[in-house]
Amino acid sequence: MSSELNVPVDPSTPACCSEPGTKGMDYRDWVRRSYLELVTSNHHSVQALSWRKLYLSRAKLKASSRTSALLSGFAMVAMVEVQLEVQYKYPQMLLIAFSACTTVLVAVHLFALLISTCILPNVEAVSNIHNLNSISESPHERMHPYIELAWGFSTVLGILLFLAEVVLLCWIKFLPVGSIARNETTNTEKHSSHAGWQSALVSTIIMVPVGLIFVVFTIHFYRSLVRHKTERHNREIEELHKLKVQLDGHDRAGNSSGGTWTCTGESDGAESNERAVYY
């Protein structure tokens, strides 16, 4: 018994395709497998993103609750403990500005504290469960606008109001100094110096650049954060696009090329011809 195998193969066909028994794979199969692995891992990527949002929301709620409780407490203590000089005639606009700023400051921080207190226990209850499928039970996605509102009130608006509160408190505390008529036992002395006015002015001059630096840093921080997220998403989209282009290009190359296998064998004087066309 003798056998003869003649297999003419198209030169454009990869070498691994001409050997059906090989365990390797060509570049087209590798690209297809990488794309399929990326698509099948999409579900886990979505879950990881959801958990990241959950932890970020929890961190924001905790930070806003601590900051709001601290600053609102300081504002209440400042309003209660401030001692107004009865003998000094304060400017009416100064007193109105101080009372309005203190009231708005306490109200803003208490509102942020209220949001954090209401949402944080529900988020904490889900984050402590070590189960990937429990992410859907957390209300952080639906309550996302309220979480961002509490974060903004506590860290941006609340801190700006607190800086203004410090400036107004300095004016109320130091302005009467050097301007009060003091009646002593034998003589009457009226101080005409402006030490208190100068002290309040210095505190204002210092606080104005601090407020500007705070605003500039806040804008720069959020712009940098948005730019980082945008670049990261762009890189992911470019990687997906490259995989898609490579996969489509090799699919078109595979469809346009073909080969012919011809197998001839002799057994006991019988001869048979087999021809197979593959794509």
Side-chain angles (χ1 to χ4, degrees):
M1 179 185 299
S2 63
S3 62
E4 181 180 354
L5 179 63
N6 297 322
V7 184
V9 183
D10 190 359
S12 62
T13 305
C16 62
C17 293
S18 61
E19 297 180 2
T22 183
K23 295 182 179 180
M25 64 175 63
D26 61 352
Y27 184 71
R28 181 181 59 185
D29 294 335
W30 177 81
V31 172
R32 181 182 289 106
R33 190 183 66 174
S34 301
Y35 183 77
L36 291 177
E37 289 177 355
L38 185 63
V39 172
T40 53
S41 63
N42 187 31
H43 178 67
H44 300 286
S45 300
V46 170
Q47 282 190 341
L49 181 60
S50 299
W51 278 100
R52 179 183 175 277
K53 290 181 179 179
L54 173 65
Y55 289 133
L56 180 61
S57 300
R58 185 182 67 173
K60 285 184 176 181
L61 290 173
K62 285 184 176 181
S64 62
S65 63
R66 289 194 296 263
T67 305
S68 297
L70 186 64
L71 295 184
S72 61
F74 281 155
M76 288 296 298
V77 171
M79 186 176 62
V80 172
E81 296 296 331
V82 65
Q83 296 179 358
L84 299 178
E85 297 292 341
V86 181
Q87 300 178 1
Y88 181 77
K89 185 178 180 181
Y90 290 93
Q92 184 179 2
M93 294 303 300
L94 179 62
L95 296 177
I96 293 175
F98 178 72
S99 61
C101 183
T102 305
T103 305
V104 175
L105 174 62
V106 173
V108 165
H109 281 296
L110 288 181
F111 183 69
L113 185 61
L114 173 65
I115 296 176
S116 302
T117 305
C118 293
I119 302 178
L120 186 58
N122 299 281
V123 177
E124 285 278 2
V126 176
S127 63
N128 293 330
I129 300 175
H130 301 286
N131 187 2
L132 294 177
N133 296 324
S134 63
I135 189 66
S136 59
E137 300 178 5
S138 177
H140 69 282
E141 290 288 348
R142 178 172 296 182
M143 298 296 177
H144 180 72
Y146 299 102
I147 296 173
E148 294 297 329
L149 182 64
W151 174 256
F153 276 3
S154 178
T155 58
V156 181
L157 182 59
I159 294 180
L160 287 176
L161 289 174
F162 188 78
L163 295 178
E165 176 82 6
V166 172
V167 173
L168 294 174
L169 186 61
C170 289
W171 278 96
I172 290 178
K173 191 68 177 178
F174 295 116
L175 192 59
V177 177
S179 301
I180 301 176
R182 297 181 179 180
N183 296 323
E184 298 183 355
T185 56
T186 55
N187 55 357
T188 303
E189 181 182 5
K190 184 175 181 180
H191 298 275
S192 59
S193 62
H194 299 282
W197 186 85
Q198 292 175 356
S199 301
L201 183 62
V202 168
S203 65
T204 305
I205 293 174
I206 294 175
M207 196 60 67
V208 169
V210 171
L212 293 177
I213 292 174
F214 174 78
V215 173
V216 171
F217 172 77
T218 303
I219 296 174
H220 175 71
F221 171 75
Y222 279 103
R223 290 186 63 182
S224 301
L225 186 61
V226 171
R227 188 183 301 112
H228 169 70
K229 291 182 178 180
T230 304
E231 291 176 355
R232 182 169 58 87
H233 289 304
N234 287 335
R235 287 195 300 267
E236 293 177 356
I237 292 173
E238 288 178 358
E239 291 177 358
L240 290 174
H241 181 68
K242 288 179 181 178
L243 286 174
K244 181 179 180 299
V245 169
Q246 292 175 356
L247 185 61
D248 293 342
H250 283 279
D251 284 340
R252 286 194 296 268
N255 292 330
S256 61
S257 63
T260 302
W261 287 354
T262 303
C263 300
T264 305
E266 296 179 359
S267 176
D268 297 333
E271 183 177 353
S272 62
N273 294 327
E274 296 178 0
R275 181 179 299 271
V277 179
Y278 69 97
Y279 297 94

